[in-house]
Amino acid sequence: MVDDSIVSRKFSYIRESKWPVEAIDLHHVVVRRSRAKRFFLRLSVVVVLANSFFLVSIKNEPVTFIFGSLILSGLVVKLMLWKPVDKESVIIMPALGVQLETHYFSGKVVQRFFPIGKILRPVLLECVSPVTCYWSLSLVIRDEDELMLVFKELHPPVKMLVPIWKALCANIDDKERPDTEDG
Amino acid sequence: MWRRVASLSPLFSSIRSSTLNQVVVITHAYGNRSGVRYMTGGLKVYYLPWRPFIMQNTLPTFYGTLPIIRTILIREKIALVHGHQAFSTLCHEALMHARTMGYKAVFTDHSLYGFADVGSIHMNKVLQFTLADVSQAICVSHTSKENTVLRSGLPPEKVFVIPNAVDTAMFTPAPKRVDRNEIIIVVISRLVYRKGADLLVEVIPEVCRIYPNVSYLWKVSVSLLVRFIVGGDGPKRVRLEEMREKHSLQDRVQMLGAVPHAQVRSVLISGHIFLNSSLTEAFCIAILEAASCGLLTVLPDDMIVLAEPDPVDMVLAIEKAISILPKIDPQVMHDRMKKLYNWHDVAKRTEIVYDRALKCSNQNLLDRLSRYLSCGAWAGKLFALVMIIDYLLWRLLQLWKPAEDIDEVPDIILPKNQDGKVLQDFDAD
């Protein structure tokens, strides 16, 4: 059941509760396929292929130069345009823990589970790189020196991170609250 | 944008607290200090991970900082960019990108520079490029204004003079006066040529020779010892150490090495006289700090003894300073400094400059290019080409990463006390 959704230019955020146990809270951030990006990707592939045919047609060109040129062009295309990630998910299981998943277009799924007892606090941080600055959601893990990024591959906007952060905080606060109900 | 942010943080905190302005500081990373940090009073600082290569200086990147500067200006909803210091590559690049993107720009020059050597000629040309299109400029003294106007060709009516101030809450006199039978002269500066370190090498032994242990003051024989405390580091430190060895002054000249800014006051209050031997100074904050601590130094006629940058003249000036020392009350000097130099006053005057800059008209690229073309026959064309490329890269960035994709940062809400007033900075702590 879809409880909430937010859409931006590059990402879609979907929040749902999983049947039959509605307590399980799922948050998905899905990459939106942009038509412009697909066009540029195909154009880049055409340019790389044309470049390689041109190099092959020139006589006396060393083979290593052709291969090097192909590899370099492929790397540039991959770095600039190709993102293999389909979506990243945060699955909050109350009293159990949090599972972080990364789904790739190839079908590969990378999962990381953190028991509720190991999570001290989720934090929203501003990250600065030499070329950009963005918000990120991280977990402070017990006995770990470094923060654990919730979204390793994607940089969703802060309006999508805030509801996930709130849900994680609510889950941690529930864990810390003493159980006052009698069985 | 700062190459060094520490010494002017009182200014930014004052601007932030005096009005509803938000202030964001951008500088490069220092050691492992990288990323975003929040200072006292909600002052936000971006430490960009562009590593310095020597003496905390970064290499110029020309267009490399355009993406990060654009991102920060958009996410922080910046209205005006204020750059500091002519030798800061980050400042020049940030002002260039800010003007390309249509932001108003203000530049503050803190130093005096020459005209004759290769380095100065090159730097003056770079300054001319940056200042060709700024909205307003600020200098820290009238002498500095003359120097900046001559170097950059900026119209004088665009340049404001706002002197620096001193944090008098931090620099207070010692609660108990230092023993006057022993006169301690304090020197705190970078030990480089421009700060007159070579003069100290000649002055210190001469003063120690004149005041060995017995001296005649007011025609009475008194026991008077003069000692020196030298704080600071630099390439000329070796010369001072050699001078100490040569004249056997190890017990009379104490070399402290580099003194962290937080410990400067404790060094100053251990002395009676502050000696500044700089060959040139646009505005010497160190002298204000010393006067605020009650040391006899450079200021109004009764607080100052000036000398030519010559060892003989400096020794005579030190003798005169020692003779008028009994008339000096450190607390009175500190109170006068408090009234004369105040960061809140500097902040108010700086905001007037900001208001003036924001009222300047917006100009498109073609109008701005004409200003660059007037910078010289060949330099003008080169400058115009640089700005055109910057403009094209900016447009490309707008397509690659539109402004809508950049999250705006929420406004900082400062904590309030029980009366509903915003909690002030705790500088006195």
Side-chain angles (χ1 to χ4, degrees), chain B residues 128-191:
Chain B
Q128 197 181 12
F129 164 68
T130 300
L131 296 189
D133 199 25
V134 290
S135 311
Q136 304 291 341
I138 298 172
C139 289
V140 294
S141 64
H142 292 286
T143 304
S144 175
K145 176 177 174 176
E146 283 175 31
N147 185 259
T148 299
V149 164
L150 285 171
R151 280 160 46 221
S152 64
L154 197 62
E157 56 271 14
K158 263 191 167 183
V159 184
F160 292 76
V161 175
I162 303 177
N164 285 320
V166 63
D167 188 357
T168 49
M170 187 175 163
F171 291 94
T172 53
K176 195 177 169 188
R177 283 206 195 164
V178 187
D179 181 19
R180 282 256 174 89
N181 285 334
E182 186 182 63
I183 302 293
I184 298 173
I185 299 176
V186 176
V187 178
I188 295 186
S189 80
R190 285 182 294 134
L191 301 179

Side-chain angles (χ1 to χ4, degrees), chain B residues 44-308:
Chain B
K44 186 171 181 180
V45 184
Y46 283 83
Y47 291 92
L48 304 184
W50 289 89
R51 292 290 171 187
F53 72 107
I54 188 171
M55 289 175 67
Q56 304 292 350
N57 293 312
T58 49
L59 283 167
T61 65
F62 292 100
Y63 306 111
T65 50
L66 175 60
I68 183 66
I69 295 287
R70 173 177 173 263
T71 301
I72 292 173
L73 296 185
I74 291 173
R75 73 197 308 268
E76 297 288 345
K77 297 168 280 189
I78 298 294
L80 182 142
V81 176
H82 186 172
H84 291 263
Q85 194 58 300
F87 263 92
S88 170
T89 55
L90 182 59
C91 165
H92 287 289
E93 289 177 23
L95 290 179
M96 175 177 76
H97 300 321
R99 290 302 295 145
T100 298
M101 292 187 274
Y103 292 91
K104 300 292 187 288
V106 175
F107 174 76
T108 295
D109 202 354
H110 292 269
S111 301
L112 300 174
Y113 296 103
F115 296 85
D117 55 291
V118 171
S120 294
I121 292 169
H122 168 74
M123 209 56 239
N124 293 343
K125 209 64 190 172
V126 172
L127 189 68
Q128 197 181 12
F129 164 68
T130 300
L131 296 189
D133 199 25
V134 290
S135 311
Q136 304 291 341
I138 298 172
C139 289
V140 294
S141 64
H142 292 286
T143 304
S144 175
K145 176 177 174 176
E146 283 175 31
N147 185 259
T148 299
V149 164
L150 285 171
R151 280 160 46 221
S152 64
L154 197 62
E157 56 271 14
K158 263 191 167 183
V159 184
F160 292 76
V161 175
I162 303 177
N164 285 320
V166 63
D167 188 357
T168 49
M170 187 175 163
F171 291 94
T172 53
K176 195 177 169 188
R177 283 206 195 164
V178 187
D179 181 19
R180 282 256 174 89
N181 285 334
E182 186 182 63
I183 302 293
I184 298 173
I185 299 176
V186 176
V187 178
I188 295 186
S189 80
R190 285 182 294 134
L191 301 179
V192 296
Y193 166 75
R194 202 164 73 85
K195 297 295 181 182
D198 295 305
L199 289 170
L200 289 177
V201 171
E202 299 191 38
V203 164
I204 291 175
E206 187 59 24
V207 172
C208 290
R209 185 190 67 78
I210 293 170
Y211 297 95
N213 199 23
V214 176
S215 178
Y216 288 89
L217 281 179
W218 314 292
K219 299 180 184 174
V220 175
S221 167
V222 293
S223 175
L224 184 65
L225 180 69
V226 173
R227 290 202 296 118
F228 283 84
I229 294 177
V230 179
D233 206 347
K236 295 289 183 181
R237 183 177 175 176
V238 172
R239 284 205 69 197
L240 284 162
E241 299 275 10
E242 285 172 355
M243 172 270 298
R244 221 165 63 129
E245 298 288 332
K246 183 179 171 186
H247 297 278
S248 303
L249 294 173
Q250 290 88 343
D251 56 340
R252 295 184 67 185
V253 178
Q254 185 182 359
M255 303 286 295
L256 298 177
V259 179
H261 193 252
Q263 292 170 20
V264 165
R265 184 224 171 220
S266 60
V267 175
L268 290 172
I269 59 173
S270 64
H272 302 89
I273 296 172
F274 181 76
L275 175 63
N276 178 275
S277 57
S278 290
L279 302 180
T280 65
E281 283 282 359
F283 188 98
C284 191
I285 293 185
I287 291 172
L288 298 191
E289 290 169 353
S292 182
C293 289
L295 276 71
L296 178 61
T297 179
V298 181
L299 276 177
D301 285 346
D302 54 332
M303 298 162 90
I304 179 179
V305 181
L306 291 173
E308 295 291 323

